[in-house]
Amino acid sequence: MTSTLALLGGRPEVTAVGPHFEWPPIDDTTRAKVAAQLDAAVSIPGRSGIVADLEDGLQEYFGVRHAVTTSSGTAALHATYWAARIRPGDEVIVPAWTFHATASPLFHLRAVPVLCETRPDGNIDPNRVEELITPRTRAIMVTHLWGKPADMTDLVAVANAHDLVVLEDGSHAHGAGIAGQKVGTFGLASAFSLNGPKPLSGGEGGFVLTDDDDTYHRVITLAHYNKRARTEIPEGHPLARYAVTGAGLKLRIHPLAAAIAYDQLARLDGYLAGRAEIARYLTGQLARIPGLEVTEMPQGVVPSWYGLTLTYKPGELGGLPIEKFHQALVAEGATEFDRPGSTCPMNQLPLYQHPTMLFPGHPHSHRRYEPGDFPVAEHAHAHMIKLPVWHREQDLELAERYARAAMKISEHHKELL
Ligand SMILES: *Cc1c(COP(=O)(O)O)cnc(C)c1O
């Protein structure tokens, strides 16, 4: 007799042809706007046209005084650190687990990323920050991993107690918030990616948010130059004399990417509301499945649902390895169930273990990271299964089948042992 499990020859639970999740959602309105942009301008050196529209829109959406677009989230992070006056030898406390670009620009500033242990949900653990603070510590950078806001109340309190700057990487969490306050507005400045799968996407791109004029002028100086610098940095400002060159980089967004992002921005809250609906359904279903634990969302925390994350509990399934469980999910056709890859604890990355190969003489040398240094983050990463969250009502059926696939494997796990 064959098994009911697809991995063992049974019928797959999900039969719809994939891919089952595509982002950003592009429709005829998006296409028309991009086509119109092709005729309007494909290079915008100043703060005008679609770039100004997008920045104005972001300022309004986040309720901040300044939004500056960039070519990528990585560029936005680079500009944010430089604008926050992170200097050579300075230390910045960053979550041990995040996409590496949250911290990698620090190497280019000859500053030191100091990795901090996370909570099981992957967000930086405020209780582990204080022990890392030295006289060289300047800032704390916070990622809201998979779109779940980090504990900003405690993090801001620690930062204030030690006179540290708070910075945020909101790349997973556009529109997410805590008690009505949006992610990206808790510190001096924040950086966001507009890359492919991010909740707000232009395909490529990024932006920096700040309420602080000086930080804004410094972001302009690092990421832009000439036209923007000449018009946006006031005469008499110490940076005004550098306007022609900026800091020598050029990190501006492509107008077609800005057009996509601007189109998406108007729909972001709709996407998030739709995701919340499907996430509520999925959470209810998946929470009942032995072997899986759904990441908790405390009261008042509104995630972007960049990912719905599950902790796999092999002990509840006779020790079935996560690789096998995941393989069985994919065999069921539930191909969007994913194990995080490159977004891993950074002590596992050569750049963080041995940066001096790439950055000779880098002051990082007194911090060497090895696998095993961050047991909470590493355990959580190794046991995580995540799912993108759909936003359309018609995707509920797909969500239903995904949940059924997971339930089926859990129920029949003995056949896989
Ligand atoms: C995607 C991402 C980045 C980098 O953004 P790019 O636009 O790809 O350069 C940085 N941090 C986090 C958390 C990200 O997810």
Side-chain angles (χ1 to χ4, degrees):
M1 195 191 85
T2 58
S3 167
T4 173
L5 295 177
L7 187 61
L8 302 176
R11 223 153 21 101
E13 203 64 52
V14 187
T15 49
V17 181
H20 299 147
F21 186 88
E22 287 179 289
W23 202 263
I26 303 285
D27 63 12
D28 286 343
T29 310
T30 322
R31 284 183 197 100
K33 287 182 179 170
V34 171
Q37 188 57 45
L38 271 173
D39 292 329
V42 289
S43 173
I44 303 181
R47 190 186 189 281
S48 63
I50 190 67
V51 172
D53 290 346
L54 176 57
E55 293 184 357
D56 288 347
L58 291 167
Q59 284 166 198
E60 189 179 333
Y61 183 80
F62 287 94
V64 296
R65 295 186 54 229
H66 306 291
V68 181
T69 50
T70 57
S71 51
S72 70
T74 307
L77 284 151
H78 190 165
T80 297
Y81 285 125
W82 192 81
R85 300 175 183 273
I86 304 302
R87 289 170 302 202
D90 283 352
E91 296 178 0
V92 178
I93 297 173
V94 303
W97 183 11
T98 176
F99 183 63
H100 77 87
T102 300
S104 299
L106 289 168
F107 290 113
H108 294 267
L109 300 175
R110 298 181 60 77
V112 180
V114 175
L115 309 195
C116 179
E117 183 62 286
T118 71
R119 289 180 163 159
D121 64 10
N123 279 333
I124 190 167
D125 185 345
N127 300 318
R128 301 299 298 273
V129 169
E130 212 146 31
E131 67 201 61
L132 301 171
I133 296 173
T134 76
R136 286 185 297 274
T137 310
R138 297 273 302 169
I140 305 174
M141 172 59 87
V142 183
T143 303
H144 309 280
L145 203 66
W146 312 121
K148 176 183 176 181
D151 185 347
M152 294 312 295
T153 308
D154 285 3
L155 288 164
V156 168
V158 179
N160 289 345
H162 295 272
D163 204 16
L164 303 177
V165 168
V166 172
L167 304 170
E168 294 172 83
D169 180 348
S171 298
H172 290 184
H174 315 66
I178 305 168
Q181 185 174 355
K182 282 201 171 76
V183 153
T185 65
F186 285 89
L188 175 69
S190 59
F192 289 74
S193 171
L194 291 169
N195 183 55
K198 307 298 163 72
L200 177 64
S201 177
E204 298 287 354
F207 59 92
V208 180
L209 303 179
T210 185
D211 276 332
D212 180 64
D213 287 348
D214 185 55
T215 304
Y216 160 58
H217 294 137
R218 288 178 65 83
V219 169
I220 292 291
T221 302
L222 189 91
H224 298 275
Y225 70 112
N226 207 9
K227 194 160 185 181
R228 281 202 72 157
R230 283 192 284 112
T231 51
E232 293 175 59
I233 299 173
E235 233 177 288
H237 189 286
L239 293 174
R241 59 197 289 232
Y242 298 100
V244 171
T245 56
L249 299 176
K250 178 210 187 193
L251 307 173
R252 71 181 178 231
I253 193 168
H254 195 291
L256 297 183
I260 297 170
Y262 188 52
D263 166 67
Q264 297 290 305
L265 178 60
R267 313 165 188 227
L268 177 57
D269 280 342
Y271 294 159
L272 297 179
R275 283 180 172 192
E277 282 291 308
I278 293 194
R280 187 166 45 192
Y281 169 78
L282 278 170
T283 298
Q285 296 298 307
L286 297 169
R288 299 185 294 130
I289 301 178
L292 295 178
E293 185 180 287
V294 182
T295 301
E296 209 186 320
M297 289 297 162
Q299 198 76 45
V301 164
V302 177
S304 68
W305 296 112
Y306 181 51
L308 189 156
T309 61
L310 305 161
T311 303
Y312 180 66
K313 306 258 177 183
E316 294 176 8
L317 300 179
L320 181 72
I322 187 169
E323 291 80 8
K324 198 80 178 178
F325 187 88
H326 181 240
Q327 206 186 346
L329 283 169
V330 172
E332 293 297 338
T335 48
E336 298 294 339
F337 275 114
D338 183 32
R339 299 187 58 209
S342 60
T343 301
C344 66
M346 298 191 295
N347 56 313
Q348 299 175 2
L349 300 172
L351 176 60
Y352 287 80
Q353 293 168 346
H354 308 288
T356 41
M357 176 84 173
L358 302 184
F359 298 95
H362 189 273
H364 183 88
S365 50
H366 68 287
R367 300 256 180 197
R368 283 187 159 278
Y369 294 110
E370 299 299 337
D373 285 350
F374 299 95
V376 178
E378 289 171 81
H379 184 276
H381 171 255
H383 291 82
M384 178 172 283
I385 295 174
K386 66 186 174 67
L387 195 56
V389 179
W390 297 277
H391 71 282
R392 303 174 308 179
E393 218 175 312
Q394 69 256 41
D395 289 322
L396 200 57
E397 191 192 325
L398 204 52
E400 230 175 277
R401 288 179 181 266
Y402 268 65
R404 255 192 276 154
M407 179 62 94
K408 183 165 115 182
I409 298 161
S410 177
E411 276 173 357
H412 294 268
H413 71 274
K414 286 206 175 91
E415 297 166 32
L416 295 169
L417 289 169

